[in-house]
Amino acid sequence: MFDNLQERLGSILNGLTGRGALSDKDVQAALREVRRALLEADVALEVVRDFTDRVREKAVGAEIVKSIKPGQMVVKIVHDELVSMLGSEGVTLDLNAPAPVVIMMVGLQGSGKTTTTGKIASRLTKRDKKKVLMASLDTRRPAAQEQLKQLGEQTGVDTLPIIPGQSPTDIASRAVQAARLGGHDVVILDTAGRTHIDEPLMVEMATIKTKANPHEILLVADALTGQDAVNLARNFDERVGITGLVLTRMDGDGRGGAALSMRAVTGKPIKLIGVGEKMDALEEFHPRRVADRILGMGDIVSLVERAAETIDQEKAQAMADRMKAGKFDLNDLSDQLKQMSKMGGMGGIMGMMPGMGKMKDQMAAAGFDDKIFGRQQAIISSMTPAERANPDLLKHSRKKRIAAGSGTNAADINKLLKMHRQMADMMKAMGGKGKKAGLFGKMM
Ligand code: GDP
Ligand code: MG
């Protein structure tokens, strides 16, 4: 069901290779597929609309980086925009307030509030050496307070003693008081939920907030929440005022579209994600990973980024012209080697390209592999400009001098010269067919 957006866009756009910029029509066609991918990932409709509008603005007229297919270019723009909407890396709990710092957990019933309370408390205790108190304010479900008490025993975190008959707001006040007396750094309030948003729930949350004055109010939501995510996040944010989001069940097979929906309507950061039932199944939120998951794609984005960063357009064009004219000297080879190692070497480039294994083998057989890049560069740098421009000059005595200068031997130099000859022949053949791309342009 979750096929790859890259492939879908490929079939629409890859016929366009060679054009300089994305046209309105190209982008419209691509955005239909993007919209479908987002809806399949459970992103709320209104967010999808807003998102595709933003992408359209950025994409129309965008220049297609040389050696990259238009479909890949659109995926890159979509991906960048998604990462930017999902927010920046490394936003985590803010405990920068006088102790005891109050964290209030809110959300619907079954969203994972109690579990997440235990996870956060356990992490703060073990990793950050904080003294934490947990308190259950859930007086609606009979076993709720007991559930938290058990998590406390399991993780070695203090829980507020249960006094039957107290109201949620009274428990909140008592928890803050107990934390103050007990010298706790942090107190986490685990509130009650409902199966859906209703007025009494919102009133209860607002009252607890006033009483306990929390520094963090985290909305806990199931990552599988679909179209409801928007309503849920908007309501809690408007009525209670949240400071961040926690998405649970990210270990499930959902694509995490709720992350985008909730982030988009509240503008509040996703601070943590739950990835299992166990107490250590809590992770930081990484926008790029979630963007990949929503789009259902692999490494193509980083390939496009690296290519865009490292390929020097003018140089590539100049080299292409030389090759077309049948010229490919050792200066050109040196440039190609530099460009290649900047892009992560053979493995870096080809590992990301499906079906490239065979070509990689062929080039390795010709002596063209990552390990000898450095040595080859050293050999070329030890040559004079005249030798680089005309390798035929390289007779025995010159080779001896170059071997000494580069810390290599005559066999290494012969290998390099042989590789250069093979590549020059290949270039000439390509040039003869009128192809304009450089070696690496050709590969992609
Ligand atoms: P609450 O009603 O909001 O307090 O929800 P609970 O914390 O009681 O969680 C409801 C159920 O979801 C429990 O069975 C939890 O074990 C489970 N749960 C919570 N977080 C996660 C998660 O990140 N991944 C998975 N797979 N299950 C979770
Ligand atoms: Mg609970």
Side-chain angles (χ1 to χ4, degrees), residues 108-155:
L108 295 181
Q109 193 173 304
S111 61
K113 293 179 300 300
T114 305
T115 310
T116 308
T117 299
K119 288 176 180 177
I120 293 175
S122 170
R123 171 190 279 207
L124 291 177
T125 305
K126 291 200 179 87
R127 194 189 69 181
D128 305 324
K129 311 293 173 221
K130 300 279 185 197
K131 191 174 178 198
V132 183
L133 177 69
M134 304 190 285
S136 170
L137 278 54
D138 189 348
T139 55
R140 291 170 57 86
R141 285 200 295 179
Q145 299 192 58
E146 194 59 36
Q147 183 194 355
L148 191 70
K149 182 174 167 224
Q150 278 169 15
L151 286 180
E153 283 162 8
Q154 185 192 324
T155 53

Side-chain angles (χ1 to χ4, degrees), residues 115-116 119 123 247-251 272-283:
T115 310
T116 308
K119 288 176 180 177
R123 171 190 279 207
L247 280 177
T248 59
R249 296 201 185 84
M250 285 293 277
D251 51 313
L272 293 163
I273 60 171
V275 291
E277 302 198 12
K278 297 223 177 80
M279 283 298 104
D280 59 358
L282 185 71
E283 291 180 1

Side-chain angles (χ1 to χ4, degrees), residues 194-268:
R194 304 279 193 280
T195 50
H196 59 274
I197 294 167
D198 62 14
E199 188 57 22
L201 176 65
M202 291 301 158
V203 171
E204 183 176 309
M205 294 304 120
T207 319
I208 295 168
K209 180 186 174 182
T210 312
K211 274 267 158 129
N213 191 25
H215 188 62
E216 283 272 25
I217 301 178
L218 302 177
L219 173 59
V220 180
D222 188 330
L224 298 171
T225 312
Q227 298 295 319
D228 290 343
V230 161
N231 248 336
L232 177 76
R234 190 174 276 142
N235 258 291
F236 272 101
D237 198 29
E238 284 174 6
R239 296 294 305 273
V240 189
I242 62 173
T243 58
L245 296 152
V246 178
L247 280 177
T248 59
R249 296 201 185 84
M250 285 293 277
D251 51 313
D253 52 10
R255 300 256 299 256
L260 184 66
S261 302
M262 304 211 292
R263 163 77 202 190
V265 296
T266 62
K268 301 291 159 63

Side-chain angles (χ1 to χ4, degrees), residues 98-103 130-135 157-161 170-189 212:
V101 181
V102 180
I103 302 175
K130 300 279 185 197
K131 191 174 178 198
V132 183
L133 177 69
M134 304 190 285
V157 176
D158 293 341
T159 49
L160 187 73
D170 285 346
I171 301 173
S173 305
R174 183 159 63 88
V176 176
Q177 187 66 18
R180 201 167 281 141
L181 291 173
H184 291 88
D185 302 303
V186 177
V187 52
I188 310 180
L189 305 177

